[in-house]
Amino acid sequence: MYVLDANVFINAHRGYYGFQIVPSFWDKLIDLANDSKICSIDRIQDEIINPSTQDPDELHEWTAENFRNYFEGTDATDVLLAYAQIQQWANDNPQFTPAAREEFARNADAWIIAYSKAKGHTLVTHEVNNPQSKRRILIPVVCEVFGVNYVNTFEMLRELEVKL
């Protein structure tokens, strides 16, 4: 199972797989989700589908209409335990600035890593591993520390042998 970060949806929508350019990409996401090969988490859904948005964009609308059922909850005990471990590590790590630790505590990154770790899934993100980063706690850095597999969208599509 692959767990999709928000940037997978956002980057595809804004760039290489726009809805009008490659509609088959979006259809394939639904097929893969129906086949239990991909999902995301509730915290990512909150980042994409923001109920306070006055003017929802096409990604917001597509996600609300087509992918809503594939955002998994993060309230299971195994996920909460993994999340606590990850946050403890981040808070205890002097490499990161206080602002980086605060941002990491606020956004969905620790949650998606915790979910992937707890469930033994592969995380899909477009963040790049930079162990020297101080101002931002990057998903791949945390994945490396906690033994969570991660790939980008293109690697996921290759591994799943997707043809668009």
Side-chain angles (χ1 to χ4, degrees):
M1 173 81 81
Y2 295 85
V3 185
L4 280 55
D5 187 13
N7 64 25
V8 172
F9 296 100
I10 294 166
N11 290 356
H13 163 61
R14 291 182 181 163
Y16 48 87
Y17 291 135
F19 290 102
Q20 290 76 30
I21 299 169
V22 189
S24 60
F25 172 79
W26 302 95
D27 294 339
K28 183 53 79 173
L29 288 184
I30 299 301
D31 292 344
L32 292 169
N34 282 331
D35 291 343
S36 299
K37 292 183 179 174
I38 68 168
C39 69
S40 194
I41 62 166
D42 51 6
R43 312 291 174 139
I44 298 298
Q45 179 181 25
D46 294 344
E47 288 184 0
I48 296 172
I49 304 174
N50 185 341
S52 66
T53 302
Q54 298 284 350
D55 190 22
D57 67 8
E58 195 172 12
L59 177 60
H60 173 122
E61 292 174 355
W62 178 88
T63 306
E65 292 172 13
N66 298 285
F67 209 83
R68 182 178 293 277
N69 295 330
Y70 305 110
F71 290 101
E72 302 295 329
T74 52
D75 57 353
T77 302
D78 56 348
V79 177
L80 295 171
L81 290 172
Y83 178 79
Q85 292 174 334
I86 291 165
Q87 283 297 347
Q88 187 68 52
W89 170 85
N91 288 326
D92 291 347
N93 196 321
Q95 171 181 338
F96 304 113
T97 65
R101 290 192 292 264
E102 285 177 31
E103 178 190 356
F104 191 68
R106 276 195 323 267
N107 68 29
D109 292 357
W111 287 104
I112 196 166
I113 299 164
Y115 182 86
S116 299
K117 178 182 184 315
K119 304 303 181 189
H121 298 330
T122 298
L123 199 155
V124 185
T125 185
H126 283 279
E127 289 187 14
V128 177
N129 191 5
N130 178 2
Q132 308 310 316
S133 178
K134 297 178 187 317
R135 295 185 181 169
R136 185 146 181 261
I137 302 174
L138 299 168
I139 288 173
V141 171
V142 183
C143 285
E144 292 279 337
V145 170
F146 286 92
V148 175
N149 292 327
Y150 64 94
V151 296
N152 65 36
T153 302
F154 306 112
E155 292 166 320
M156 176 192 74
L157 293 174
R158 277 188 211 99
E159 289 174 11
L160 290 173
E161 300 178 353
V162 170
K163 306 251 189 291
L164 297 174

